[in-house]
Amino acid sequence: MSHSSDRHRCPRRICAGDRAPHARRSAAHAPHRPAATPARTPPRRVPPGRRHAPLEGHRTPGEVHLLAQQVAEVLVGRRTPEALRGRVAVAVREQLRRLRGALPCGSAPRLERVFHQRSGDGLEASAVIACDLRARVFAFRARRWDGVWVCTDLETDGLL
Protein backbone atom coordinates (compact mmCIF):
# COMPACT_ATOMS: atom_id res chain seq x y z
CA MET A 1 0.00 0.00 0.00
CA SER A 2 1.61 3.15 -1.09
CA HIS A 3 0.77 6.63 -0.03
CA SER A 4 0.19 9.28 -2.53
CA SER A 5 1.64 12.73 -1.87
CA ASP A 6 -1.85 14.23 -1.51
CA ARG A 7 -2.84 11.72 1.18
CA HIS A 8 0.39 11.89 3.19
CA ARG A 9 0.85 15.29 4.73
CA CYS A 10 3.76 15.33 7.15
CA PRO A 11 4.91 18.58 8.71
CA ARG A 12 8.56 17.51 8.64
CA ARG A 13 10.67 18.82 5.80
CA ILE A 14 12.39 15.53 5.22
CA CYS A 15 9.11 13.90 4.30
CA ALA A 16 8.31 16.76 2.00
CA GLY A 17 11.44 16.01 0.06
CA ASP A 18 13.37 19.01 1.28
CA ARG A 19 16.58 17.31 2.39
CA ALA A 20 18.90 20.24 1.83
CA PRO A 21 18.80 21.57 5.44
CA HIS A 22 19.75 18.15 6.80
CA ALA A 23 22.51 17.75 4.24
CA ARG A 24 23.95 21.14 5.18
CA ARG A 25 23.81 20.29 8.86
CA SER A 26 25.70 17.02 8.46
CA ALA A 27 28.36 18.71 6.30
CA ALA A 28 28.80 21.46 8.89
CA HIS A 29 29.51 18.95 11.64
CA ALA A 30 32.68 17.02 11.00
CA PRO A 31 32.53 13.28 11.57
CA HIS A 32 33.68 12.09 14.97
CA ARG A 33 37.47 11.93 15.29
CA PRO A 34 39.35 10.58 18.30
CA ALA A 35 40.97 13.11 20.59
CA ALA A 36 44.65 13.82 20.12
CA THR A 37 46.64 11.86 22.69
CA PRO A 38 50.42 11.85 23.15
CA ALA A 39 50.64 8.53 21.32
CA ARG A 40 48.70 9.88 18.34
CA THR A 41 49.97 13.45 18.34
CA PRO A 42 52.72 13.94 15.77
CA PRO A 43 55.96 15.48 17.05
CA ARG A 44 55.94 19.26 17.05
CA ARG A 45 58.12 20.86 14.42
CA VAL A 46 60.53 23.35 15.97
CA PRO A 47 62.08 26.02 13.77
CA PRO A 48 65.83 25.47 13.28
CA GLY A 49 66.81 28.62 15.20
CA ARG A 50 64.83 27.67 18.30
CA ARG A 51 66.19 24.20 18.98
CA HIS A 52 67.57 23.52 22.41
CA ALA A 53 70.60 21.42 23.21
CA PRO A 54 69.79 17.83 24.23
CA LEU A 55 69.83 17.09 27.94
CA GLU A 56 73.34 16.32 29.11
CA GLY A 57 73.63 13.29 31.35
CA HIS A 58 69.97 12.38 31.11
CA ARG A 59 70.64 8.64 30.89
CA THR A 60 73.17 6.71 32.87
CA PRO A 61 75.79 5.25 30.53
CA GLY A 62 75.27 1.54 29.94
CA GLU A 63 78.77 0.67 31.19
CA VAL A 64 78.09 2.45 34.50
CA HIS A 65 74.76 0.66 34.84
CA LEU A 66 76.52 -2.67 34.26
CA LEU A 67 79.22 -1.75 36.79
CA ALA A 68 76.53 -1.03 39.40
CA GLN A 69 74.92 -4.44 38.71
CA GLN A 70 78.27 -6.20 39.10
CA VAL A 71 79.02 -4.42 42.39
CA ALA A 72 75.55 -5.38 43.65
CA GLU A 73 76.27 -9.02 42.77
CA VAL A 74 79.49 -8.88 44.81
CA LEU A 75 77.64 -7.36 47.78
CA VAL A 76 75.17 -10.27 47.85
CA GLY A 77 77.90 -12.86 47.30
CA ARG A 78 77.04 -13.99 43.78
CA ARG A 79 80.26 -12.68 42.23
CA THR A 80 83.85 -12.47 43.47
CA PRO A 81 85.63 -9.11 43.74
CA GLU A 82 88.43 -10.54 41.60
CA ALA A 83 85.97 -10.80 38.71
CA LEU A 84 85.91 -6.99 38.66
CA ARG A 85 89.67 -6.62 38.24
CA GLY A 86 90.22 -3.69 35.92
CA ARG A 87 86.73 -2.31 36.67
CA VAL A 88 87.37 -1.28 40.31
CA ALA A 89 90.31 0.40 42.02
CA VAL A 90 92.47 -1.65 44.39
CA ALA A 91 91.03 0.03 47.52
CA VAL A 92 87.48 -0.67 46.34
CA ARG A 93 88.36 -4.30 45.59
CA GLU A 94 89.65 -4.69 49.16
CA GLN A 95 86.48 -3.10 50.50
CA LEU A 96 84.37 -5.47 48.37
CA ARG A 97 86.30 -8.44 49.78
CA ARG A 98 85.27 -7.38 53.29
CA LEU A 99 81.66 -6.70 52.25
CA ARG A 100 81.13 -9.73 50.00
CA GLY A 101 77.95 -11.54 50.99
CA ALA A 102 76.98 -8.87 53.55
CA LEU A 103 73.58 -8.40 51.92
CA PRO A 104 71.33 -11.36 52.62
CA CYS A 105 69.52 -11.99 49.37
CA GLY A 106 67.75 -15.23 48.49
CA SER A 107 67.52 -14.37 44.81
CA ALA A 108 69.73 -12.50 42.39
CA PRO A 109 69.86 -8.76 43.17
CA ARG A 110 67.69 -6.69 40.87
CA LEU A 111 69.01 -3.26 40.02
CA GLU A 112 66.00 -0.96 40.22
CA ARG A 113 67.52 2.45 39.53
CA VAL A 114 70.86 4.08 38.94
CA PHE A 115 71.10 7.84 39.38
CA HIS A 116 74.19 9.70 38.30
CA GLN A 117 75.65 13.17 38.25
CA ARG A 118 78.74 14.36 36.42
CA SER A 119 81.52 15.52 38.69
CA GLY A 120 84.72 16.89 37.21
CA ASP A 121 86.34 14.20 35.09
CA GLY A 122 84.10 11.39 36.35
CA LEU A 123 80.67 10.82 37.77
CA GLU A 124 78.99 9.98 41.03
CA ALA A 125 76.25 7.39 40.98
CA SER A 126 73.86 5.82 43.42
CA ALA A 127 72.09 2.54 42.86
CA VAL A 128 68.96 1.06 44.38
CA ILE A 129 68.88 -2.73 44.43
CA ALA A 130 65.99 -4.96 45.42
CA CYS A 131 66.79 -8.06 47.42
CA ASP A 132 63.81 -10.18 48.40
CA LEU A 133 61.44 -7.79 50.20
CA ARG A 134 63.96 -5.07 51.00
CA ALA A 135 65.62 -2.32 48.98
CA ARG A 136 69.25 -1.38 49.62
CA VAL A 137 71.35 1.50 48.36
CA PHE A 138 75.01 2.06 47.57
CA ALA A 139 76.87 4.94 45.99
CA PHE A 140 80.11 5.01 44.03
CA ARG A 141 82.40 7.29 42.08
CA ALA A 142 83.60 6.26 38.67
CA ARG A 143 86.24 7.66 36.33
CA ARG A 144 87.06 6.82 32.79
CA TRP A 145 90.50 5.23 32.49
CA ASP A 146 91.69 3.89 29.13
CA GLY A 147 88.14 4.00 27.76
CA VAL A 148 86.63 1.99 30.64
CA TRP A 149 84.57 3.23 33.59
CA VAL A 150 86.41 2.29 36.80
CA CYS A 151 84.86 2.47 40.28
CA THR A 152 87.23 4.54 42.45
CA ASP A 153 85.19 4.89 45.66
CA LEU A 154 82.30 2.98 47.19
CA GLU A 155 79.87 3.78 50.00
CA THR A 156 77.10 1.54 51.27
CA ASP A 157 73.93 2.42 53.18
CA GLY A 158 75.68 1.93 56.54
CA LEU A 159 73.99 -1.36 57.39
CA LEU A 160 76.71 -3.42 55.78
Side-chain angles (χ1 to χ4, degrees):
M1 173 176 238
S2 68
H3 297 285
S4 65
S5 62
D6 59 284
R7 288 185 65 201
H8 182 73
R9 303 272 183 211
C10 182
R12 297 184 316 171
R13 283 193 255 178
I14 194 159
C15 290
D18 186 357
R19 295 176 191 222
H22 298 287
R24 270 186 263 127
R25 182 175 172 221
S26 63
H29 291 84
H32 176 71
R33 292 177 33 195
T37 61
R40 292 183 182 148
T41 306
R44 189 171 55 116
R45 301 271 182 204
V46 179
R50 301 216 34 201
R51 291 196 179 161
H52 300 286
L55 291 175
E56 185 87 21
H58 180 63
R59 292 183 184 236
T60 304
E63 293 177 44
V64 175
H65 201 275
L66 179 63
L67 180 61
Q69 177 68 38
Q70 291 170 341
V71 169
E73 290 171 359
V74 171
L75 290 174
V76 299
R78 293 194 171 251
R79 183 183 291 263
T80 63
E82 287 74 27
L84 298 180
R85 187 180 306 270
R87 302 287 316 267
V88 296
V90 175
V92 174
R93 193 166 55 240
E94 293 299 320
Q95 185 180 5
L96 285 173
R97 280 192 188 121
R98 286 191 309 272
L99 294 173
R100 182 175 184 224
L103 281 176
C105 192
S107 61
R110 190 183 53 198
L111 197 61
E112 296 218 339
R113 292 185 182 240
V114 177
F115 301 97
H116 80 285
Q117 178 178 350
R118 298 258 179 214
S119 140
D121 59 344
L123 58 83
E124 295 179 357
S126 60
V128 179
I129 54 174
C131 279
D132 300 331
L133 300 175
R134 184 161 184 175
R136 302 301 290 265
V137 177
F138 66 93
F140 62 96
R141 284 192 182 102
R143 295 207 171 152
R144 201 140 174 95
W145 286 340
D146 296 330
V148 177
W149 286 102
V150 177
C151 178
T152 59
D153 194 20
L154 176 69
E155 288 184 32
T156 60
D157 59 2
L159 300 173
L160 301 176

